[in-house]
Amino acid sequence: MPRATKKSEETTEEQQPTNLIYEHIADYIVQVFIKEDVNAFTESTLMHELLAYKLKDIAKPLMLDTIASVASELKAKKQLDLKKKVGGITQVKKIAFRSDDQYNAFISLFFEAVEENPELVDFIKKEQDFENFMLYCINDYREIWEQFATGIVEDRLAIERQKGLHAYRSSKTDVLQEVPTYADFIAERIDDVKVQA
């Protein structure tokens, strides 16, 4: 059996935490789908796999765009009112996320983005200001994914209503197969997710 080289071991160790970040963010997004439509649960595994795979390419650039947008807002307003926007630090930390793993994944992605682009935040000098900035970014980023999921659910449920599937789903399996799956919607739309201006 061939021995792994040091470089491949480093790559594997480096990729593992990043992959976990995407897995937990995918968990968060799937839970939004299920919260909006309990029928999404049947597709949850497929949606999770698709999201985790696609997030590898778009999660960090989207976080960078979010950070840049919030930094621009902070420079213009001189202050971010976290309490007014989301109800304060506790709201962001505890209520928005179902697990510490999800919350920590969003924080890890934020720090990865900031470490690669420190110029985005080098104007923030105080630690408390930086924490508020981080939580504001995480909340905005979370909202982007929430809007992504809820928009898809609204569109899919509209199609189901048009086809008369909102009631008696089990007796209309043939018609249900004509409706795009949530995974279909995700695959079609995820590359277009961006920070709202």
Side-chain angles (χ1 to χ4, degrees):
M1 185 166 136
R3 290 185 57 204
T5 64
K6 186 169 179 138
K7 186 174 182 181
S8 67
E9 285 173 6
E10 287 171 5
T11 305
T12 304
E13 286 174 20
E14 198 175 282
Q15 286 174 345
Q16 190 62 23
T18 302
N19 289 341
L20 281 175
I21 289 170
Y22 302 140
E23 294 281 335
H24 292 306
I25 293 173
D27 278 342
Y28 175 81
I29 299 168
V30 169
Q31 286 174 358
V32 174
F33 274 99
I34 294 169
K35 185 178 94 177
E36 296 297 315
D37 178 14
V38 71
N39 293 310
F41 180 76
T42 58
E43 286 187 57
S44 59
T45 302
L46 180 58
M47 287 193 300
H48 182 273
E49 288 172 2
L50 177 59
L51 284 163
Y53 173 76
K54 293 295 278 181
L55 286 169
K56 290 176 187 172
D57 293 329
I58 64 171
K60 197 182 297 180
L62 185 62
M63 179 60 86
L64 282 168
D65 289 348
T66 303
I67 293 167
S69 174
V70 173
S72 177
E73 184 180 342
L74 178 56
K75 287 174 184 175
K77 293 182 178 178
K78 304 293 184 211
Q79 186 176 4
L80 296 171
D81 193 343
L82 192 66
K83 192 162 197 161
K84 183 178 177 185
K85 179 151 178 130
V86 292
I89 290 171
T90 305
Q91 287 285 101
V92 177
K93 284 183 175 177
K94 299 294 179 196
I95 296 174
F97 297 97
R98 291 197 177 193
S99 73
D100 287 343
D101 287 337
Q102 288 178 1
Y103 175 66
N104 291 335
F106 280 72
I107 286 185
S108 296
L109 187 62
F110 171 84
F111 277 107
E112 272 189 26
V114 165
E115 284 173 12
E116 291 176 16
N117 299 270
E119 71 281 359
L120 289 173
V121 294
D122 60 7
F123 69 99
I124 303 172
K125 304 302 180 195
K126 294 181 183 171
E127 190 174 329
Q128 185 62 52
D129 291 343
F130 182 80
E131 183 180 10
N132 285 342
F133 176 83
M134 175 188 72
L135 293 171
Y136 205 93
C137 290
I138 287 169
N139 185 68
D140 280 7
Y141 189 78
R142 180 191 63 76
E143 283 181 350
I144 291 168
W145 290 116
E146 196 162 301
Q147 289 166 6
F148 170 74
T150 55
I152 288 175
V153 170
E154 286 169 13
D155 291 348
R156 186 163 189 265
L157 292 178
I159 293 170
E160 286 189 15
R161 281 191 295 278
Q162 284 174 345
K163 295 187 178 286
L165 292 167
H166 54 288
Y168 312 112
R169 291 172 64 92
S170 61
S171 64
K172 298 183 178 180
T173 52
D174 292 343
V175 180
L176 193 57
Q177 289 182 6
E178 297 171 15
V179 178
T181 65
Y182 280 120
D184 292 335
F185 276 105
I186 290 168
E188 179 185 312
R189 297 183 183 185
I190 195 165
D191 291 328
D192 298 325
V193 176
K194 60 181 181 264
V195 174
Q196 302 301 313

